[in-house]
Amino acid sequence: MKIGIVGAGAMGCVYAALMADAGNEVWAIDTWQAHVDAIAAGGLRLEGASGDRTVTIGATTDPATVGPCDLVIIATKAAQVEAAATGARSLLGPETPVLTIQNGLGSAAKVARVLGDARVTIGVVGGFGASIKAPGHAHHNGMELVRLGEANGAVTPRLERIAALWRGAGFTVKCFDDIDQLVWEKLICNVCYSGTATLTGLTVGEIMADDDAWSVASGCAAEAHRVARAKGIRLDFEDPVAYVRDFGAKIPGARPSMLLDHLAGRRSEIDAINGAIPPEALALGLEAPYNTLVSALVRARETAFEAAR
């Protein structure tokens, strides 16, 4: 298959390298010129839990040069999703599905507004702990689960075909009829570790080992769990603290992407992750003090980034 991956950050590189290694024609589309140039010149290197490989793929900053694809994957951060969807129009054939994979809430709706509801499928990926080591070089700590669902409705034959593509590239995949379940189960893990790691500089394992950090992280997770239950979201677990601890134990050395953004002086996805919980809670007559405070402190750091420029 011909696959266009819009957003060749850490996770986009994991997808691209493993799908290319499985024999697919893969194009990485990204705005980071040095990264694109490195991939075009020397291939894309991926090391970590899946092994160490360098693969030859297409790489460009201009999606118009790629042509129609059999599958488009939008793997940008949440803030770039709308622009990525707009740029992806040239990658679409008459039946090309679009799989959008982001942390937090709201990305699928943004893609649907640009490209139409009928094309949109949703992915939720957890347990990889990926990072960019250098232009053209990515690393990942784990290789857990890829969850897939249709944006509107139950599992379809096209979703099963997408799942088969991922499985053929070595990923563990599950398809879900209930998209809200898979989004919220990942979100509960994200709110646990992302904001806390960003404010403390700790890895996932270090957060779990530190009583003070863990009290904040687990408090964020418990609040998100209460909101999900109040919304009527179906979840496959009752104890959110045990759930996020089990998740974290699989990638103790990982640093969440929100922390990596701050280390690079970039704005993060805070509004789609920890920052998404307080308004959801308010609409239900609940409070989310842990997520409110964590979000406010992360935003304050980001304001300081802007002021320093």
Side-chain angles (χ1 to χ4, degrees):
M1 291 183 70
K2 182 178 179 181
I3 303 162
I5 299 178
V6 184
M11 287 304 299
C13 285
V14 175
Y15 312 149
L18 294 180
M19 288 180 175
D21 205 34
N24 297 290
E25 178 187 351
V26 176
W27 283 84
I29 301 144
D30 200 273
T31 59
W32 183 13
Q33 188 69 59
H35 187 45
V36 166
D37 290 345
I39 294 171
L44 172 61
R45 182 182 177 190
L46 176 67
E47 61 173 334
S50 64
D52 191 340
R53 59 177 56 74
T54 299
V55 297
T56 299
I57 64 172
T60 183
T61 59
D62 182 5
T65 64
V66 175
C69 296
D70 299 306
L71 172 66
V72 171
I73 299 170
I74 297 179
T76 63
K77 297 292 182 66
Q80 287 79 50
V81 163
E82 193 162 359
T86 300
R89 286 192 176 110
S90 64
L91 304 174
L92 302 180
E95 303 295 329
T96 304
V98 178
L99 175 63
T100 189
I101 309 176
Q102 282 76 40
N103 291 324
L105 301 180
S107 293
K110 293 178 182 178
V111 176
R113 283 196 294 271
V114 175
L115 300 178
D117 288 342
R119 290 190 186 271
V120 180
T121 60
I122 297 174
V124 176
V125 177
F128 283 76
S131 61
I132 295 288
K133 307 295 285 186
H137 180 188
H139 176 275
H140 65 116
N141 292 297
M143 194 160 177
E144 292 298 322
L145 183 62
V146 177
R147 303 176 181 188
L148 301 177
E150 290 282 356
N152 296 295
V155 174
T156 61
R158 78 165 179 182
L159 192 72
E160 293 288 6
R161 289 193 294 271
I162 294 170
L165 169 70
W166 285 79
R167 292 188 185 106
F171 294 90
T172 301
V173 182
K174 288 178 66 176
C175 293
F176 285 74
D177 288 324
D178 185 350
I179 196 68
D180 288 332
Q181 176 186 353
L182 67 96
V183 168
W184 276 87
E185 288 186 351
K186 175 63 183 300
L187 180 61
I188 290 167
C189 293
N190 285 146
V191 301
C192 178
Y193 294 108
S194 294
T196 308
T198 302
L199 294 173
T200 63
L202 300 176
T203 65
V204 167
E206 289 166 344
I207 289 170
M208 295 169 65
D210 184 280
D211 289 343
D212 291 323
W214 183 243
S215 69
V216 174
S218 60
C220 288
E223 287 177 357
H225 180 263
R226 282 195 294 273
V227 170
R229 288 297 192 195
K231 286 175 65 70
I233 304 295
R234 175 187 156 196
L235 301 171
D236 279 345
F237 57 90
E238 294 295 333
D239 184 343
V241 176
Y243 178 73
V244 294
R245 183 174 283 280
D246 180 64
F247 173 86
K250 297 172 183 175
I251 50 169
R255 295 186 296 177
S257 61
M258 191 183 294
L259 170 58
L260 298 178
D261 284 337
H262 274 221
L263 291 174
R266 297 188 297 262
R267 285 191 173 273
S268 71
E269 297 177 294
I270 186 64
D271 289 334
I273 302 177
N274 296 83
I277 302 304
E280 293 280 345
L282 182 62
L284 296 162
L286 301 174
E287 295 182 345
Y290 281 102
N291 284 286
T292 298
L293 180 58
V294 166
S295 301
L297 292 173
V298 170
R299 292 189 194 103
R301 285 175 57 102
E302 293 177 357
T303 299
F305 296 161
E306 298 296 325
R309 288 176 182 165

